[in-house]
Every structure is written in C-alpha cells, then in structure tokens.
Amino acid sequence: MGSNAELAEMFARMADVMQLVGENAFKAIAFQRVSRVLEETGIDVVAASKSGELPPIEGIGESSRRIIVEYAQTGKSRDYEQLIASVPAGVLEMLRIPGLGPKTVALLWRERGIESVDALEQAIGQGKLAGLKGVGAKKIASMLDGIRLLKAGMQRRGFVVVAPLVEEMLERLRSDARVGQAEAAGSFRRRRETVGDVDLLCWVHSSEDAQAVIESFCTQNGVEKVNASGRTKGSILVDKGFQIDLRIVPKENFGAALLYFTGSKEHNVKLRGLAQEQGMTLNEWGLYRVDQYNKAEKKPGEPPTIKPVAGGDEKSVYSALKLGYIEPELREDRGEIEAGIAQRLPRLVTREDIRGELHCHTTASDGRASIEQMAEAAKAMGYEYIAITDHSVSSVIANGLAPERLKAHIAAIRKAQDRVKGIHILAGSEVDILIDGSLDYEDALLAELDVVIASPHVSLKQDTAKATDRLLRAIESRYVHIIGHPTGRMINQREGLPLDMPKVIAAAAQAKTALEINAGWPRWDLNDLNARAAANAGVMISINTDAHAIESLGDIVMGLWVARRAWLTPTQIVNCMTYKQLMAWLKVKR
DNA sequence: GCCGTTTTCGGCCCGACTGTTTTCAGTCG
C-alpha cells in the first residue's frame, strides 16, 4: 500500500521528534511543510515514485524526495525509523497537550523521565515536578487543564455545528455600544469544513474601551476557562472546551488585523515573506516600510507610531503588495499568492452565477414538498431550471421508486411543468450505484430521464480497489450525467468510500461525466481539494443541494463555499449553464 | 531541510500573552 496520507503522517512525526531533540527548528518546519504539501498535492507521490516519474514539487527538496522514493520502493524509511526510535511514542503524544510545547515536554522527559501523558498526570499528583526550572504552580495547573482537554477529545468541530455559537457571540459584541464593528475571522471565515477554534475581531470607538470589552467577553455567560485576557486580546473556552479568541484593534488597523486573523497561518507567512522582498514588513497592525519601522517604538497592544503603507482594509494591503484581492476561501497557501503575483487569480463562482438546481427530492420518495412546491421555490430563487431527482428502488428506507412508479413520476413532472411557468422542470433520478457498480434501473428506463445522478448510498466500507471500480462503472455508463456525493463521507461521522481519487477523476474526464459537490451538511462531498483536482482535469462540477425540503434549496451557499475553496469559476460548473447550454450538455454522452 | 530577477550560503514572519522572571523563554496563531 502506501499513500500520500501515510507519508504526510511520517513527515509530521519526524518534525515532532526534531523539535523534541532540539534539532534546528527550521528543519522541523521544513518537514512540517513537506507533510502539508503531501496532504494537499493531487499527485500520487508513491505511484509516481514507483514509475520514476515524481515531478519536482515545491517545498519537497532532495532529502525529502529520497525518503519518499525509499518508502515507495521498500514500504519503509530508515531515516524515519531511526528518528522515531530516538523518542518514546508517549513523549510524542505529550506534544498534543494544549499549552505544552516541545521545550517543556523535552524538559519533563529528560529531567524527570516522564514518558507519557498518564505518567505526567501521575507525576504532577505526586509532586514530582517541584524544582524544575521555569515550572511553577500555574504552569502545572495549566498542564492539568491541558491533559483534561486532550482526554475530552478535542476534535475540530463541524462548520455548521459551531456556526450558531459564532453568530451568538457576534450578536453579543455588535449589541455592545462600545463596539463599532465585529467580524468572525479564522478558518470560519475561510469556510473550512471543520473549525478548531473561532477567531473574532472588532474595533471599538474609543481605545480606552478595549480592555473593558475584552473583560466582558471573558466574563460572559458560559465561559469555562479564560486562557488569556490582555488589553487587546482575549481567549476563552466555552461549550465543553471550545476555544474562542477575540482581538480588538483600532479602526484604522482593522483590515490588516482581519487579514492576519483570517489566516491561514501559511498564507500569512508567505505574505510576510513577500512583503519583506519588497522592503516592507507586514503584521497585524498594517503594512509598513521596513526602513521606517523601528521596533523600539512599538509598544505591545498599541499600533506602531509610523504611518502604514496600507492596513485600513484588506484590499489595500494586497494591492500594496502588487496582488489582486485574494478571497478568504483561497487563503490556504495553495498557490493563491503565486496566482496573485501573476495576476491570474480565478474569478470565483458566486450565488448570482447559479442558474438552477439539479438534485432534489419530493414527497414521491423521502422529500417533504411536492414537485410544484419545489419548482416554485426554485423559481423564487431566480433559477431557470430544476431537476426533480427522487431515489431509486433500492433505497428502500428513502421510499425509492420502483420502475413503474418512476414512469408515473416522470409523467407527474411533465404535468407539473404545465402548471408551473417561468422555470424548466426536468425529470431526473438519483439512481443508486449498487455494490458492484451496476445501476438501480435498466438503461431503457434511464434513457427516458432528462437528468441522471448516480450516487453510492450503502456499503461505504469497501476497500479502495472495489470502491473505485464500483464508481468507474457508473461513471462510464452513457446514461449517467453526474456522480452524486462521490465518496459518501459525512464530516466527523463517517469516512466514506476510500476512493482512488486520481483514477476516478481521470475516468470522469474521459467519460465526460460530471462530479457533484453536494452542498448538504454534513456531506460537502466532493471536498474542496478533490473538486479542485477534478476541475483541473477538465471534469465538470455540479453544485447540488440534495434538498429534501424547500428551505434546503438555500444550502446552495454552502456548496458555493466548497466550490470557491476549490478555485472554481462559473465555466467549470454545470448549473451555471443557461438552460439551453444545459440541454446541449445533457445530450453529449447519449 | 528548503530555497534563490540582488543569494548554491545564509537566511528562514511577527507580535501578544503568560509565567517565572528581573530581562526573557515558551507557546500560540
């Protein structure tokens, strides 16, 4: 076996070890970067190494290449094994304790022989940490807090799960008369599917109010712990250990702060490097000319006393760095800065570009609204068309339609079109991709439909070979227009099919079958990276809500977030086509 | 370890907050 994910994990572990043994910090950072690049690249590096065709990849140098190639050929790496053997596994685990870093873990290990999280907890209980340099009562208390959090299982929470909490916090801030403007930043603003913590940002009318706003933030109802409470920055835990940070800056610095707090960290690092190359320095206060920037005059919590080149709003900062505006969804250091330099940033899809819905359900299967109701709702959204795609016969729980019922349903859809004007109603089906990749209806019946979406619903724990073959069969069917939620994953709930995604994408490109971004939570399937890889390979993407009720048609905005994170432009999206274009596209395979 | 329209060597982003300290190291984002 062997995969990018396994290699990424290896490099991440090696970086951990390097930090612990006091290796040059930049080496560890370099390996962390290799790990991230491996996770995100569309290139199957193991397969490429085996065939001797591993292309140069930015961030992966000679040493890392050697490790990758050795691993691809032998299934292991001597460098990795040697390095990993030098530190007990439990010590590496201690790095996961929030608030504990490599220096302290190394100190505990070397000075007190503590080799696991449990051993640390015991040692604290027995007072064995006494006399350690730099470790006082408060630090010990914070270690116990960290251990408690770690054991409570601090996984990243789903975007939609934390959204109400964020809205509530913002509401509270905005209703504070001292606050001028409050926004959510961080991975929440970048619309990542999961969020590790939430970053809020605001400016206040009078700088004397800043500390008081932080204080009221840190003492509001529901606060379980205050991690930090300074003049411009507060950090709290709420809702069983979920971290929320608040940062306050003057209005004039809001743009630079929003940029800084939105991240990603990797995006920021690269931007700062770019600023440096241009004789400037970028921080959360603004963009400054380096020859004017005198660190000695910089007081913590207060803006630098010199005039910034830019900083009032984000656009001015990007523009001063000779970049086009980079949308928050792109800020992951996945090539957006290079694209900005080359003035080749994508024109990301927006809500206004969406002309129709191609995947929804009605009361015929497991939906809650009639054909007419769904069509009227789509029309009210300004759509030109909607495809009604109820479940097929094998989806028994979803009241899937047997062939005869489907025929009657098609007739009902045609009839509904007579009653509802101003929107085209297409007859479709979400047909099950069965375990072996065959479809749930005969070809002759599929041929009667305007739109066919084929989706996997059951047996989502197949191995990679079986799952991939299963999807390929459906992709290659001349009657299938779109593969619905291709992996079947549910964020934070189930993994879904372990597809060989490069293979699936290549087949879809070849067969001219579109892949879906299912906008429904917790699917968001395809995810951003796979959707981007697919679109780059020439595969059309359809952003579908899979709505089972009128309100869910509005989920399209979530699908758009994923699509924007995937760099998609309207020309790559099926349901950005006009009705006429769509009808032509639907006939291409047949 | 990685990288190069000023570099194949010498850099590598920057600031806030905390805790244990008298001037700073560690951690985080």
Side-chain angles (χ1 to χ4, degrees):
Chain A
M1 281 304 294
S3 67
N4 286 19
E6 286 170 26
L7 272 165
E9 175 64 20
M10 277 174 48
F11 277 96
R13 298 307 258 186
M14 287 193 278
D16 283 346
V17 174
M18 286 175 177
Q19 287 191 303
L20 277 176
V21 300
E23 177 67 87
N24 178 350
F26 292 108
K27 273 193 188 181
I29 290 170
F31 269 26
Q32 276 168 1
R33 173 140 190 251
V34 171
S35 172
R36 202 176 66 90
V37 168
L38 285 170
E39 268 175 17
E40 298 190 348
T41 181
I43 301 164
D44 182 342
V45 296
V46 173
S49 302
K50 277 180 184 162
S51 58
E53 289 165 357
L54 184 61
I57 302 173
E58 175 156 1
I60 301 182
E62 255 330 292
S63 304
S64 299
R65 273 181 88 85
R66 264 204 309 277
I67 293 173
I68 291 168
V69 169
E70 184 191 345
Y71 177 78
Q73 286 169 351
T74 67
K76 55 186 186 180
S77 153
R78 280 166 299 172
D79 284 347
Y80 172 74
E81 282 169 8
Q82 221 168 55
L83 209 50
I84 211 79
S86 64
V87 178
V91 176
L92 289 179
E93 192 55 34
M94 287 163 69
L95 285 175
R96 307 274 99 83
I97 300 172
L100 266 199
K103 293 282 164 56
T104 313
V105 170
L107 184 77
L108 293 167
W109 175 37
R110 300 219 182 273
E111 298 292 322
R112 291 292 186 273
I114 295 167
E115 297 193 345
S116 73
V117 176
D118 286 334
L120 174 58
E121 203 170 12
Q122 261 181 20
I124 292 173
Q126 296 164 357
K128 284 187 181 165
L129 266 45
L132 264 185
K133 191 172 182 330
V135 178
K138 284 191 175 177
K139 204 158 217 173
I140 289 171
S142 121
M143 283 182 204
L144 283 175
D145 277 333
I147 291 170
R148 190 171 51 79
L149 280 174
L150 181 70
K151 290 193 169 172
M154 327 171 307
Q155 72 168 348
R156 297 174 64 88
R157 300 191 188 189
F159 181 96
V160 168
V161 176
V162 302
L165 191 65
V166 176
E167 290 307 324
E168 187 192 325
M169 293 269 173
L170 281 176
E171 211 40 58
R172 215 175 286 185
L173 279 168
R174 285 168 181 161
S175 63
D176 187 324
R178 296 167 295 193
V179 173
Q181 183 186 0
E183 301 293 341
S187 52
F188 188 86
R189 181 164 180 245
R190 302 199 310 277
R191 309 306 189 197
R192 275 193 62 168
E193 60 197 31
T194 60
V195 177
D197 61 12
V198 167
D199 304 292
L200 304 177
L201 181 68
C202 71
W203 58 265
V204 291
H205 293 288
S206 159
S207 60
E208 290 88 63
D209 289 336
Q211 182 131 26
V213 170
I214 294 284
E215 268 168 29
S216 87
F217 173 76
C218 290
T219 54
Q220 65 185 307
N221 281 339
V223 173
E224 293 162 355
K225 180 168 187 278
V226 177
N227 284 332
S229 174
R231 291 179 12 171
T232 61
K233 189 172 170 181
S235 176
I236 58 176
L237 297 185
V238 297
D239 194 28
K240 300 196 186 78
F242 191 65
Q243 185 173 327
I244 315 245
D245 295 342
L246 172 66
R247 179 64 181 263
I248 299 182
V249 298
K251 189 180 181 185
E252 311 80 74
N253 307 81
F254 195 74
L258 190 58
L259 187 63
Y260 160 82
F261 233 175
T262 297
S264 66
K265 183 174 191 257
E266 291 79 10
H267 178 87
N268 287 350
V269 166
K270 204 161 236 182
L271 269 191
R272 285 174 166 155
L274 190 64
Q276 250 197 352
E277 283 173 25
Q278 300 180 17
M280 296 181 279
T281 180
L282 177 64
N283 55 40
E284 55 262 59
W285 300 99
L287 182 66
Y288 300 89
R289 290 187 48 130
V290 92
D291 53 7
Q292 294 176 355
Y293 198 82
N294 186 348
K295 274 188 179 173
E297 285 181 26
K298 175 76 188 70
K299 288 184 198 154
E302 284 175 33
T305 49
I306 59 164
K307 192 173 172 332
V309 178
D313 63 87
E314 288 185 325
K315 276 205 173 86
S316 70
V317 177
Y318 283 116
S319 158
L321 291 170
K322 303 189 181 71
L323 298 172
Y325 178 68
I326 298 177
E327 303 279 357
E329 292 96 326
L330 295 183
R331 300 181 196 167
E332 299 288 350
D333 186 25
R334 292 175 179 166
E336 72 279 7
I337 292 175
E338 292 79 357
I341 292 169
Q343 304 295 332
R344 299 176 75 100
L345 284 163
R347 205 292 258 164
L348 295 183
V349 60
T350 67
R351 170 65 182 78
E352 288 68 37
D353 298 314
I354 299 293
R355 294 173 186 264
E357 171 64 63
L358 293 174
H359 182 175
C360 70
H361 299 267
T362 70
T363 49
S365 60
D366 59 348
R368 296 209 300 272
S370 66
I371 300 167
E372 282 90 343
Q373 286 171 324
M374 293 302 280
E376 289 288 0
K379 184 176 148 187
M381 292 173 73
Y383 286 170
E384 290 177 33
Y385 47 85
I386 181 170
I388 304 296
T389 57
D390 279 297
H391 288 285
S392 63
V393 57
S394 288
S395 284
V396 177
I397 312 169
N399 190 24
L401 278 60
E404 287 312 310
R405 280 186 65 211
L406 176 59
K407 284 181 186 170
H409 193 46
I410 295 172
I413 292 167
R414 304 295 181 215
K415 243 187 199 146
Q417 179 71 85
D418 292 338
R419 287 192 292 273
V420 182
K421 298 297 175 193
I423 183 164
H424 299 283
I425 310 177
L426 305 183
S429 170
E430 182 184 17
V431 55
D432 259 64
I433 304 175
L434 304 178
I435 295 176
D436 64 352
S438 58
L439 299 174
D440 207 15
Y441 291 127
E442 298 295 326
D443 284 355
L445 184 51
L446 293 176
E448 291 183 35
L449 295 162
D450 302 321
V451 180
V452 175
I453 299 174
S455 313
H457 284 109
V458 294
S459 295
L460 299 175
K461 289 190 171 170
Q462 292 174 304
D463 63 41
T464 296
K466 274 198 183 125
T468 306
D469 282 346
R470 175 185 184 184
L471 251 73
L472 291 195
R473 259 191 87 181
I475 286 168
E476 283 155 9
S477 161
R478 61 185 287 207
Y479 296 101
V480 172
H481 296 111
I482 302 167
I483 301 295
H485 47 74
T487 75
R489 69 93 177 249
M490 299 253 188
I491 293 165
N492 279 356
Q493 290 171 32
R494 71 177 182 216
E495 292 290 325
L497 294 170
L499 296 172
D500 181 338
M501 202 48 84
K503 222 167 164 180
V504 168
I505 288 168
Q510 176 73 30
K512 301 200 184 322
T513 305
L515 298 178
E516 177 181 80
I517 289 176
N518 190 298
W521 184 264
R523 289 196 184 274
W524 292 20
D525 177 20
L526 294 176
N527 68 17
D528 51 0
L529 287 169
N530 288 331
R532 185 176 178 193
N536 281 343
V539 176
M540 291 297 286
I541 303 292
S542 188
I543 310 175
N544 303 335
T545 65
D546 198 353
H548 285 67
I550 290 171
E551 313 83 72
S552 310
L553 289 169
D555 288 354
I556 189 72
V557 295
M558 296 198 289
L560 282 162
W561 294 336
V562 178
R564 290 164 62 86
R565 287 182 57 81
W567 292 52
L568 298 193
T569 64
T571 55
Q572 298 171 308
I573 296 167
V574 178
N575 48 326
C576 289
M577 293 182 192
T578 64
Y579 174 70
K580 203 175 151 195
Q581 291 169 328
L582 175 70
M583 294 314 283
W585 181 79
L586 289 171
K587 292 187 181 78
V588 165
K589 285 180 74 176
R590 289 191 176 172

